[in-house]
């Protein structure tokens, strides 16, 4: 069992079996097809869902990319249809966009659990250690810290644009909406 398969608590980890049909009715696309399409035979890397207009979230993604030389993680803005489809798959509302999320083929991790698991995937050993310590820190402590930071994240400002990839180095690290959905 790898670190993405362990269940560290019902409220921070959600399996695919918790799908809410009422949440699915608020979107006008086939969210199941979109959610399953991002995990193909060729690419099953976890996806980090983040608030692309939040400076802190955007800086976090830049930090993660800069410290993930092997490209173990992919990224997707929470406002995209792909992210909303993955949120529905996890039993959340597609508008529930106020926390960082880590999505694997079979499970979804939220807030401090997501951040801890992301850190465990980064290159520098100290970051991996921080992730491991975070996972074993009592949930009420790490979630309290996460909630304070999350509640104040927009005080650092908002972005109108995300990181630009002029040389194409990170193109395969971002998950985009399928072309047919971007027109809906």
């Amino acid at each position: 069992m790898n670190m993405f398969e362990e269940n560290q608590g019902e409220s921070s980890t959600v399996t695919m079996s918790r799908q809410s049909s009422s949440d699915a009715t608020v979107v006008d696309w086939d969210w199941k097809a979109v959610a399953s399409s991002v995990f193909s035979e060729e690419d099953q890397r976890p996806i980090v869902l983040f608030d692309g207009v939040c400076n802190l979230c955007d800086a976090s993604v830049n930090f993660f990319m800069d410290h993930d030389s092997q490209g173990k993680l992919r990224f997707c803005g929470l406002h995209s249809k792909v992210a909303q489809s993955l949120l529905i798959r996890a039993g959340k509302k597609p508008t529930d966009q106020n926390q960082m999320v880590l999505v694997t083929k079979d499970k979804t991790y939220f807030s401090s659990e997501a951040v801890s698991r992301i850190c465990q995937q980064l290159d520098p050993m100290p970051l991996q250690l921080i992730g491991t310590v975070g996972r074993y820190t009592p949930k009420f402590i790490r979630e309290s810290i996460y909630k304070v930071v999350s509640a104040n994240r927009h005080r650092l400002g908002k972005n109108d644009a995300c990181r630009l990839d002029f040389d194409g180095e990170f193109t395969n690290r971002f998950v985009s909406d399928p072309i047919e959905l971007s027109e809906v």
Side-chain angles (χ1 to χ4, degrees):
M1 184 179 296
N2 69 34
M3 72 183 71
F4 292 122
E5 294 173 347
E6 296 174 32
N7 188 348
Q8 285 289 314
E10 191 61 29
S11 63
S12 62
T13 306
V14 179
T15 60
M16 282 180 48
S17 62
R18 274 200 188 162
Q19 298 168 349
S20 171
S21 60
S22 64
D23 292 336
T25 60
V26 299
V27 297
D28 58 357
W29 65 87
D30 184 355
W31 65 267
K32 288 182 183 180
V34 172
S36 64
S37 72
V38 296
F39 294 105
S40 66
E41 290 275 332
E42 299 83 38
D43 198 348
Q44 298 207 2
R45 294 175 294 166
I47 302 170
V48 177
L49 306 181
F50 67 100
D51 181 354
V53 298
C54 162
N55 277 342
L56 178 61
C57 303
D58 194 48
S60 297
V61 168
N62 286 330
F63 181 84
F64 297 154
M65 284 195 302
D66 291 341
H67 292 88
D68 178 17
S69 64
Q70 296 176 13
K72 297 177 194 173
L73 300 168
R74 294 182 289 165
F75 304 91
C76 184
L78 275 165
H79 298 91
S80 71
K81 290 179 172 84
V82 168
Q84 292 173 25
S85 297
L86 291 169
L87 289 171
I88 293 169
R89 183 189 84 163
K92 298 283 188 177
K93 294 180 181 177
T95 55
D96 186 8
Q97 301 175 354
N98 58 0
Q99 57 189 322
M100 190 162 284
V101 182
L102 178 67
V103 183
T104 68
K105 182 178 180 182
D106 300 317
K107 294 193 179 193
T108 303
Y109 305 94
F110 297 92
S111 55
S112 67
E113 181 72 18
V115 173
S116 294
R117 288 176 183 270
I118 292 165
C119 285
Q120 287 182 302
Q121 294 298 303
L122 301 178
D123 297 329
M125 185 59 75
L127 293 175
Q128 294 172 11
L129 182 60
I130 289 169
T132 301
V133 169
R135 290 212 27 231
Y136 294 102
T137 299
K139 184 176 177 180
F140 76 93
I141 294 173
R142 62 184 159 91
E143 281 300 307
S144 296
I145 294 168
Y146 184 91
K147 286 178 182 176
V148 168
V149 172
S150 178
N152 293 292
R153 72 185 192 276
H154 287 131
R155 289 184 182 201
L156 298 172
K158 293 183 179 184
N159 287 331
D160 290 333
C162 295
R163 177 179 183 155
L164 296 177
D165 185 21
F166 292 111
D167 61 3
E169 179 183 355
F170 297 107
T171 301
N172 73 344
R173 304 282 301 279
F174 286 93
V175 179
S176 302
D177 284 339
I179 293 171
E180 62 274 7
L181 285 182
S182 61
E183 298 168 359
V184 173

